Amino acid sequence: WAAATGQYTTTGDMTIYQIRAPATALSQGVVMAASLGSLHTEEATCKRELRLMKNREAAQERRRKKKEYVKCLENRVAVLENQNKTLIEELKALKDLYCHKAE
DNA sequence: CTACACACTCGTCAGAGAGT
DNA sequence: ACTCTCTGACGAGTGTGTAG
């Protein structure tokens, strides 16, 4: 997994996860540390993979809901445009009626 | 056919906010 | 203080249309 985004290093009593900056990015690496006592490297790896998986699923769900929302809005636009058209026609008919009565 | 531009999708990161 | 979820932003990969 290290090839993907980062790598682990151990310094003193701390296990450090160093995120490798993207090839073109200006940002420095971010350091996330966890005490060696509670977070074994293997356990940390597991935790990270679990977090990535959950986040991946969250992003997918988010995008699905966004699509749904946009579709909903588009439907609403269509309905309102139809209503508007109908009202304009109705208004026109009433105006005609009124004009003929006035004559 | 190739090279390029543009649009779209996906995974990931970082940060905010809520819950414990 | 710590953990978890949600979400905007970003970069990489891929598909598609178009000019040369």
Side-chain angles (χ1 to χ4, degrees):
Chain A
W1 71 275
T5 53
Q7 63 182 27
Y8 278 97
T9 57
T10 304
T11 56
D13 60 345
M14 301 287 272
T15 297
I16 296 174
Y17 169 60
Q18 175 107 33
I19 295 174
R20 194 183 299 154
T24 57
L26 300 168
S27 65
Q28 309 119 308
V30 176
V31 176
M32 288 161 62
S35 91
L36 193 57
S38 60
L39 276 185
H40 198 268
T41 300
E42 200 172 327
E43 189 188 346
T45 303
C46 262
K47 277 196 170 184
R48 173 182 156 77
E49 278 173 359
L50 188 66
R51 184 173 55 76
L52 288 182
M53 193 185 77
K54 281 186 176 179
N55 193 238
R56 194 181 310 132
E57 284 168 0
Q60 283 167 353
E61 180 65 8
R62 171 78 181 142
R63 282 163 183 151
R64 190 187 66 76
K65 286 200 168 170
K66 189 178 176 183
K67 262 188 181 174
E68 203 177 289
Y69 174 68
V70 168
K71 211 171 209 174
C72 230
L73 285 181
E74 286 170 349
N75 282 343
R76 186 159 164 69
V77 167
V79 167
L80 290 173
E81 277 176 351
N82 272 340
Q83 277 184 7
N84 196 36
K85 202 172 160 187
T86 305
L87 288 171
I88 286 171
E89 278 168 12
E90 201 177 317
L91 179 63
K92 188 168 174 284
L94 288 171
K95 273 183 177 175
D96 284 351
L97 198 64
Y98 178 77
C99 283
H100 286 125
K101 270 196 175 180
E103 284 169 10

